Every structure is written in structure tokens, then in C-alpha cells.
Amino acid sequence: MKLLRAILSVIALSAAVPSLAQETPETLANEVLVAYQNGDIDEFTELVTASPLLDSTATLTAQIKTNIQTLLDIYGPVEGWELVQQKSASNRYVENSYLIFQNEYATRLKLSFYKRSSGWIIASFTIDDSIGNLLEEAD
């Protein structure tokens, strides 16, 4: 089921807009996951690419939207998710991996969070269908 691993692994460095800066990693992740579950590709993309550095990169935004739509088309709607792995390099940098349960198959979403002086932001994300890697990473 690694059909789209190469084209669907997307990493985007981002910094949160001021309205999101006071949130926690959990609330930021929940907003992204709910947008994915709702099929709201625009909201998903906005949340993971909120950095002013990415505002002028229409190509990246379009690629993310296309990849998320492709995942939804192939694997079906999101039925739920589960936090399956949590790592931290410090109390200011954490990475959470979620198993996303879709109608036809599961996908994996990794979200990295960084705590700036103004609050938590999504620093990067990866989404793909390589859920077998979760087992390897657990060893």
C-alpha cells in the first residue's frame, strides 16, 4: 500500500499566525485532523502552511492541496485518528504521529511543533500511506 509514498510525503516548514500562537500542540493537531476529516482541504493547507514565508509559494500550496485530495480520493473519507507516537527533543520541540483511519486504508500524519516565545506553532508535517513504518519506529 505504498502506492503514493513518494508523491504524498510533503514537508512544510511553517510558523503560526498570531491567532494560533497561543494554542498547544494538541489543539493545533486537532484543528488539522478535524479539517482533514471534514475534507476541508483549504483549511488543512492553511493550518499547516501558516508561515508568512510560505504565503508567496502558491506552488507548494497547490501541491499540498492536490496531495491531500489524492489521499481522500484513494483511501476515502477520514473516519477517525489515534495518536500512536509522541517524541520530544526538549519541552519546546515535540513530534506527534497519528494513525488516520480512512474508509479504504490508513494513513500516517506526523506533526512537529515548536514553542516560540509567543506560543506553539506547527513547524513541519508529513502525511503519507507508509503506516508500516510506525511498527518499525516502535522497535
Side-chain angles (χ1 to χ4, degrees):
M1 298 304 283
K2 296 179 183 175
L3 175 67
L4 297 175
R5 182 184 329 156
I7 62 171
L8 293 178
S9 181
V10 177
I11 299 175
L13 294 177
S14 62
V17 293
S19 64
L20 298 178
Q22 300 306 315
E23 299 194 51
T24 66
E26 293 76 21
T27 57
L28 288 169
N30 192 60
E31 290 174 357
V32 170
L33 291 161
V34 167
Y36 191 34
Q37 183 174 36
N38 291 339
D40 192 340
I41 297 166
D42 291 332
E43 178 72 10
F44 179 97
T45 303
E46 183 179 319
L47 289 167
V48 298
T49 62
S51 171
L53 299 173
L54 298 176
D55 286 349
S56 62
T57 51
T59 302
L60 177 62
T61 300
Q63 180 184 12
I64 292 169
K65 287 180 180 183
T66 298
N67 290 344
I68 297 303
Q69 185 62 58
T70 301
L71 281 170
L72 290 169
D73 289 345
I74 292 173
Y75 299 123
V78 174
E79 298 171 345
W81 57 84
E82 184 177 327
L83 175 64
V84 292
Q85 197 170 67
Q86 191 169 31
K87 298 178 184 177
S88 65
S90 75
N91 63 353
R92 293 183 63 178
Y93 184 79
V94 298
E95 180 181 277
N96 293 348
S97 292
Y98 299 87
L99 187 58
I100 311 298
F101 305 109
Q102 293 183 241
N103 188 47
E104 300 296 325
Y105 192 64
T107 53
R108 172 182 65 165
L109 173 65
K110 280 187 180 181
L111 292 170
S112 298
F113 305 93
Y114 178 72
K115 187 174 184 181
R116 301 186 305 182
S117 59
S118 59
W120 286 97
I121 60 168
I122 296 174
S124 67
F125 82 99
T126 304
I127 187 167
D128 60 31
D129 62 353
S130 302
I131 62 171
N133 291 347
L134 290 169
L135 297 173
E136 295 168 9
E137 293 170 2
D139 292 337

